[in-house]
Amino acid sequence: MTAQDDRPDTDARRAELAEALTAVRARVADAARAADRDPAEVGLLAVTKTWPATDVALLTDLGLTAFGENKEQEGAAKAAELATLRPDAPVRWHVVGRLQRNKARSLVRWAHAVDSVDSSRLVDALESAAGKALDAGERADPLEVLLQVSVDADPDRGGAPVDEVPALADRVAGCAHLHLGGVMAVAPQDMAPEEAFATVWEVATRVRAAHPHATTVSAGMSGDLEAAVAHGSTVVRVGTALLGRRWLPSV
Ligand SMILES: *Cc1c(COP(=O)(O)O)cnc(C)c1O
Protein backbone atom coordinates (compact mmCIF):
# COMPACT_ATOMS: atom_id res chain seq x y z
CA MET A 1 0.00 0.00 0.00
CA THR A 2 1.43 3.40 -0.89
CA ALA A 3 1.27 6.37 1.39
CA GLN A 4 -1.35 7.93 -0.87
CA ASP A 5 -3.59 4.86 -0.78
CA ASP A 6 -3.26 4.90 2.96
CA ARG A 7 -4.56 8.41 3.43
CA PRO A 8 -8.34 8.04 2.90
CA ASP A 9 -8.41 5.07 5.29
CA THR A 10 -6.52 7.02 7.89
CA ASP A 11 -8.87 9.96 7.59
CA ALA A 12 -11.92 7.73 7.99
CA ARG A 13 -10.44 6.02 11.02
CA ARG A 14 -9.42 9.36 12.53
CA ALA A 15 -13.00 10.62 12.18
CA GLU A 16 -14.40 7.41 13.67
CA LEU A 17 -12.07 7.59 16.67
CA ALA A 18 -12.76 11.30 17.18
CA GLU A 19 -16.50 10.65 17.24
CA ALA A 20 -16.14 7.74 19.67
CA LEU A 21 -13.86 9.78 21.92
CA THR A 22 -16.38 12.63 22.06
CA ALA A 23 -19.10 10.17 23.03
CA VAL A 24 -17.00 8.50 25.75
CA ARG A 25 -15.98 11.88 27.19
CA ALA A 26 -19.65 12.90 27.27
CA ARG A 27 -20.58 9.70 29.12
CA VAL A 28 -17.83 10.28 31.69
CA ALA A 29 -18.80 13.94 32.13
CA ASP A 30 -22.49 13.10 32.54
CA ALA A 31 -21.67 10.40 35.09
CA ALA A 32 -19.39 12.76 37.02
CA ARG A 33 -21.98 15.53 37.14
CA ALA A 34 -24.65 13.06 38.23
CA ALA A 35 -22.39 12.15 41.16
CA ASP A 36 -21.60 15.80 41.98
CA ARG A 37 -18.03 15.32 40.83
CA ASP A 38 -15.83 17.42 38.59
CA PRO A 39 -15.45 15.59 35.23
CA ALA A 40 -11.78 16.62 35.26
CA GLU A 41 -11.25 14.23 38.21
CA VAL A 42 -11.78 11.22 35.93
CA GLY A 43 -8.99 10.27 33.55
CA LEU A 44 -9.29 8.10 30.47
CA LEU A 45 -7.05 5.12 29.74
CA ALA A 46 -7.52 3.83 26.19
CA VAL A 47 -7.21 0.04 26.16
CA THR A 48 -5.66 -0.62 22.76
CA LYS A 49 -5.14 -4.42 22.97
CA THR A 50 -5.63 -6.08 19.55
CA TRP A 51 -5.65 -2.67 17.79
CA PRO A 52 -2.67 -1.45 15.73
CA ALA A 53 -0.13 1.21 16.69
CA THR A 54 -1.57 3.40 13.92
CA ASP A 55 -4.77 3.68 16.00
CA VAL A 56 -2.74 4.63 19.06
CA ALA A 57 -1.02 7.30 16.94
CA LEU A 58 -4.38 8.75 15.91
CA LEU A 59 -5.54 8.74 19.54
CA THR A 60 -2.41 10.68 20.56
CA ASP A 61 -3.30 13.22 17.85
CA LEU A 62 -6.70 13.53 19.55
CA GLY A 63 -5.00 14.32 22.85
CA LEU A 64 -4.95 10.97 24.65
CA THR A 65 -1.79 10.13 26.57
CA ALA A 66 -2.54 6.93 28.54
CA PHE A 67 -2.79 3.54 26.85
CA GLY A 68 -3.38 0.05 28.21
CA GLU A 69 -2.24 -3.33 26.93
CA ASN A 70 -2.83 -6.73 28.47
CA LYS A 71 0.05 -8.72 26.94
CA GLU A 72 3.72 -7.99 27.37
CA GLN A 73 4.83 -8.91 23.84
CA GLU A 74 2.03 -7.08 22.08
CA GLY A 75 2.57 -4.02 24.23
CA ALA A 76 6.34 -3.99 23.69
CA ALA A 77 5.94 -4.14 19.91
CA LYS A 78 3.24 -1.47 19.87
CA ALA A 79 5.18 0.88 22.12
CA ALA A 80 8.22 0.56 19.83
CA GLU A 81 6.12 1.19 16.73
CA LEU A 82 4.42 4.19 18.27
CA ALA A 83 7.80 5.66 19.20
CA THR A 84 8.63 5.78 15.47
CA LEU A 85 5.15 6.96 14.41
CA ARG A 86 4.89 9.72 17.04
CA PRO A 87 8.34 10.22 18.60
CA ASP A 88 7.29 13.38 20.43
CA ALA A 89 3.89 12.31 21.76
CA PRO A 90 3.75 12.22 25.57
CA VAL A 91 2.61 8.66 26.17
CA ARG A 92 2.27 6.45 29.23
CA TRP A 93 1.82 2.72 28.72
CA HIS A 94 -0.05 0.68 31.32
CA VAL A 95 -0.17 -3.09 31.59
CA VAL A 96 -3.71 -4.03 32.62
CA GLY A 97 -3.68 -7.83 32.20
CA ARG A 98 -2.47 -10.82 34.15
CA LEU A 99 1.24 -10.92 34.14
CA GLN A 100 3.72 -13.77 34.52
CA ARG A 101 6.69 -12.93 36.68
CA ASN A 102 9.13 -13.98 33.96
CA LYS A 103 7.82 -11.10 31.81
CA ALA A 104 8.76 -8.46 34.37
CA ARG A 105 12.27 -7.79 33.05
CA SER A 106 11.11 -7.07 29.48
CA LEU A 107 8.02 -5.16 30.60
CA VAL A 108 9.95 -2.59 32.61
CA ARG A 109 11.74 -1.50 29.42
CA TRP A 110 8.57 -0.01 27.92
CA ALA A 111 5.73 0.12 30.48
CA HIS A 112 5.28 3.10 32.77
CA ALA A 113 2.75 1.39 35.01
CA VAL A 114 1.38 -2.03 35.90
CA ASP A 115 -2.27 -1.76 36.93
CA SER A 116 -2.80 -5.47 37.64
CA VAL A 117 -0.44 -6.29 40.51
CA ASP A 118 -2.00 -8.91 42.77
CA SER A 119 0.65 -10.88 44.66
CA SER A 120 3.74 -10.26 46.78
CA ARG A 121 5.79 -12.46 44.45
CA LEU A 122 4.85 -10.22 41.52
CA VAL A 123 5.69 -7.11 43.58
CA ASP A 124 9.14 -8.53 44.30
CA ALA A 125 9.73 -9.48 40.65
CA LEU A 126 8.75 -6.00 39.46
CA GLU A 127 10.89 -4.31 42.12
CA SER A 128 13.93 -6.31 41.05
CA ALA A 129 13.26 -5.79 37.32
CA ALA A 130 12.62 -2.05 37.71
CA GLY A 131 15.84 -1.68 39.72
CA LYS A 132 17.84 -3.39 36.97
CA ALA A 133 16.19 -1.28 34.26
CA LEU A 134 16.90 1.94 36.15
CA ASP A 135 20.55 0.92 36.66
CA ALA A 136 20.88 0.05 32.98
CA GLY A 137 19.39 3.37 31.90
CA GLU A 138 16.46 1.56 30.26
CA ARG A 139 13.91 3.59 32.18
CA ALA A 140 14.00 6.95 33.90
CA ASP A 141 11.37 6.65 36.61
CA PRO A 142 10.13 4.13 39.16
CA LEU A 143 7.41 1.79 37.90
CA GLU A 144 3.94 2.88 38.94
CA VAL A 145 1.94 0.06 40.49
CA LEU A 146 -1.79 -0.31 41.02
CA LEU A 147 -3.06 -3.20 43.12
CA GLN A 148 -5.79 -5.15 41.40
CA VAL A 149 -8.64 -5.89 43.78
CA SER A 150 -10.61 -9.09 43.31
CA VAL A 151 -14.03 -8.19 44.61
CA ASP A 152 -15.31 -11.77 44.65
CA ALA A 153 -11.92 -13.45 45.30
CA ASP A 154 -12.32 -15.65 42.21
CA PRO A 155 -8.75 -16.87 41.70
CA ASP A 156 -9.25 -17.39 37.95
CA ARG A 157 -9.81 -13.75 37.10
CA GLY A 158 -6.81 -12.14 38.74
CA GLY A 159 -6.68 -9.62 41.53
CA ALA A 160 -5.91 -9.97 45.22
CA PRO A 161 -8.69 -10.69 47.71
CA VAL A 162 -9.89 -7.52 49.45
CA ASP A 163 -8.31 -8.41 52.80
CA GLU A 164 -4.86 -8.91 51.29
CA VAL A 165 -4.71 -5.53 49.54
CA PRO A 166 -3.55 -3.35 52.49
CA ALA A 167 -0.53 -5.59 53.19
CA LEU A 168 0.35 -5.61 49.50
CA ALA A 169 0.16 -1.81 49.51
CA ASP A 170 2.64 -1.70 52.40
CA ARG A 171 4.96 -4.03 50.52
CA VAL A 172 4.89 -1.86 47.36
CA ALA A 173 5.42 1.29 49.43
CA GLY A 174 8.57 -0.30 50.86
CA CYS A 175 10.06 -0.87 47.39
CA ALA A 176 12.67 1.62 46.19
CA HIS A 177 11.91 1.23 42.49
CA LEU A 178 8.12 1.07 42.60
CA HIS A 179 5.61 3.85 43.18
CA LEU A 180 2.25 2.93 44.69
CA GLY A 181 -0.48 4.67 42.69
CA GLY A 182 -3.63 3.10 44.13
CA VAL A 183 -6.00 0.30 43.13
CA MET A 184 -7.61 -1.17 40.03
CA ALA A 185 -10.60 -3.47 39.63
CA VAL A 186 -12.79 -5.22 37.08
CA ALA A 187 -16.39 -5.75 38.22
CA PRO A 188 -17.26 -9.47 38.36
CA GLN A 189 -19.81 -10.41 35.70
CA ASP A 190 -22.22 -11.96 38.17
CA MET A 191 -22.43 -8.99 40.54
CA ALA A 192 -24.14 -5.62 40.21
CA PRO A 193 -21.39 -3.16 39.21
CA GLU A 194 -22.59 -0.66 41.85
CA GLU A 195 -21.99 -3.23 44.58
CA ALA A 196 -18.58 -4.19 43.18
CA PHE A 197 -17.40 -0.59 42.81
CA ALA A 198 -18.61 0.33 46.31
CA THR A 199 -16.35 -2.42 47.67
CA VAL A 200 -13.46 -1.18 45.53
CA TRP A 201 -13.94 2.31 46.96
CA GLU A 202 -13.78 0.93 50.52
CA VAL A 203 -10.51 -0.84 49.77
CA ALA A 204 -9.14 2.26 48.06
CA THR A 205 -9.98 4.28 51.17
CA ARG A 206 -8.12 1.82 53.41
CA VAL A 207 -5.07 1.96 51.15
CA ARG A 208 -5.18 5.77 51.05
CA ALA A 209 -5.41 6.00 54.84
CA ALA A 210 -1.98 4.36 55.09
CA HIS A 211 -0.52 5.83 51.88
CA PRO A 212 -2.08 9.26 51.27
CA HIS A 213 -0.50 9.76 47.83
CA ALA A 214 -2.06 6.51 46.48
CA THR A 215 -5.19 8.19 45.16
CA THR A 216 -5.83 6.35 41.88
CA VAL A 217 -8.97 4.25 41.63
CA SER A 218 -8.95 2.64 38.17
CA ALA A 219 -12.46 1.27 37.72
CA GLY A 220 -15.01 1.18 34.95
CA MET A 221 -14.86 -0.09 31.36
CA SER A 222 -17.03 0.44 28.26
CA GLY A 223 -20.05 -1.29 29.78
CA ASP A 224 -20.01 -0.01 33.35
CA LEU A 225 -18.10 3.26 33.53
CA GLU A 226 -21.12 5.20 34.85
CA ALA A 227 -21.40 2.98 37.93
CA ALA A 228 -17.65 3.25 38.53
CA VAL A 229 -17.63 7.05 38.28
CA ALA A 230 -20.56 7.15 40.71
CA HIS A 231 -18.37 5.23 43.18
CA GLY A 232 -15.27 7.37 43.01
CA SER A 233 -13.33 6.05 40.01
CA THR A 234 -10.49 8.36 38.99
CA VAL A 235 -9.61 6.48 35.77
CA VAL A 236 -11.89 4.60 33.40
CA ARG A 237 -10.27 2.00 31.13
CA VAL A 238 -12.09 2.00 27.81
CA GLY A 239 -11.49 -0.27 24.83
CA THR A 240 -14.60 -1.22 22.87
CA ALA A 241 -16.46 2.09 23.19
CA LEU A 242 -13.46 3.93 21.76
CA LEU A 243 -11.91 1.57 19.24
CA GLY A 244 -14.75 -0.76 18.34
CA ARG A 245 -15.43 -4.41 18.89
CA ARG A 246 -12.36 -6.63 19.21
CA TRP A 247 -12.42 -9.49 16.69
CA LEU A 248 -9.28 -11.13 17.93
CA PRO A 249 -9.26 -12.98 21.22
CA SER A 250 -7.42 -10.84 23.71
CA VAL A 251 -7.51 -12.39 27.15
C1 LIG B 1 -9.96 -5.15 27.83
C2 LIG B 1 -9.92 -4.49 29.17
C3 LIG B 1 -10.57 -3.26 29.39
C4 LIG B 1 -11.43 -2.58 28.34
O1 LIG B 1 -12.62 -3.28 28.18
P1 LIG B 1 -13.81 -2.72 27.23
O2 LIG B 1 -15.00 -3.44 27.71
O3 LIG B 1 -13.41 -3.09 25.84
O4 LIG B 1 -13.90 -1.27 27.43
C5 LIG B 1 -10.44 -2.68 30.65
N1 LIG B 1 -9.73 -3.27 31.63
C6 LIG B 1 -9.08 -4.43 31.46
C7 LIG B 1 -8.33 -5.02 32.60
C8 LIG B 1 -9.17 -5.09 30.23
O5 LIG B 1 -8.55 -6.27 30.06
Side-chain angles (χ1 to χ4, degrees):
M1 198 192 275
T2 69
Q4 265 175 338
D5 290 341
D6 190 31
R7 208 160 293 143
D9 279 358
T10 301
D11 285 347
R13 184 60 168 153
R14 187 190 304 272
E16 197 171 78
L17 291 174
E19 189 179 340
L21 178 58
T22 302
V24 167
R25 288 211 163 116
R27 280 178 63 190
V28 171
D30 286 349
R33 280 189 289 265
D36 271 328
R37 300 183 60 201
D38 179 351
E41 287 172 21
V42 186
L44 175 58
L45 176 77
V47 181
T48 47
K49 62 191 183 196
T50 78
W51 298 100
T54 48
D55 279 350
V56 184
L58 293 172
L59 290 172
T60 66
D61 297 343
L62 294 166
L64 290 191
T65 56
F67 299 95
E69 289 287 328
N70 67 339
K71 290 186 175 155
E72 197 282 322
Q73 268 183 307
E74 182 183 346
K78 217 173 286 183
E81 201 181 335
L82 185 72
T84 62
L85 290 171
R86 294 294 186 277
D88 299 324
V91 165
R92 282 178 62 82
W93 288 100
H94 293 241
V95 171
V96 300
R98 292 200 93 174
L99 186 62
Q100 288 165 312
R101 278 173 293 144
N102 62 11
K103 299 285 171 62
R105 188 64 185 95
S106 28
L107 175 144
V108 293
R109 295 195 173 97
W110 61 273
H112 300 84
V114 178
D115 296 358
S116 47
V117 174
D118 62 359
S119 72
S120 52
R121 294 201 307 172
L122 183 54
V123 171
D124 295 350
L126 291 171
E127 163 70 353
S128 158
K132 286 179 186 153
L134 285 158
D135 285 349
E138 294 165 350
R139 63 180 300 120
D141 300 307
L143 183 73
E144 184 179 341
V145 162
L146 300 185
L147 298 172
Q148 184 177 349
V149 180
S150 170
V151 175
D152 60 357
D154 175 348
D156 289 343
R157 241 195 327 258
V162 166
D163 289 341
E164 292 177 15
V165 173
L168 273 181
D170 295 345
R171 194 177 188 103
V172 173
C175 290
H177 310 115
L178 305 180
H179 173 81
L180 179 66
V183 302
M184 184 275 257
V186 178
Q189 271 164 7
D190 51 4
M191 189 186 279
E194 285 77 9
E195 189 189 338
F197 293 134
T199 300
V200 174
W201 177 251
E202 280 173 29
V203 181
T205 304
R206 280 169 70 187
V207 168
R208 213 171 43 241
H211 308 283
H213 63 272
T215 54
T216 299
V217 183
S218 175
M221 321 199 302
S222 294
D224 57 15
L225 66 87
E226 282 84 1
V229 170
H231 290 280
S233 168
T234 67
V235 183
V236 294
R237 305 179 311 273
V238 180
T240 311
L242 262 186
L243 290 133
R245 178 169 162 192
R246 289 180 293 272
W247 295 97
L248 301 169
S250 64
V251 186

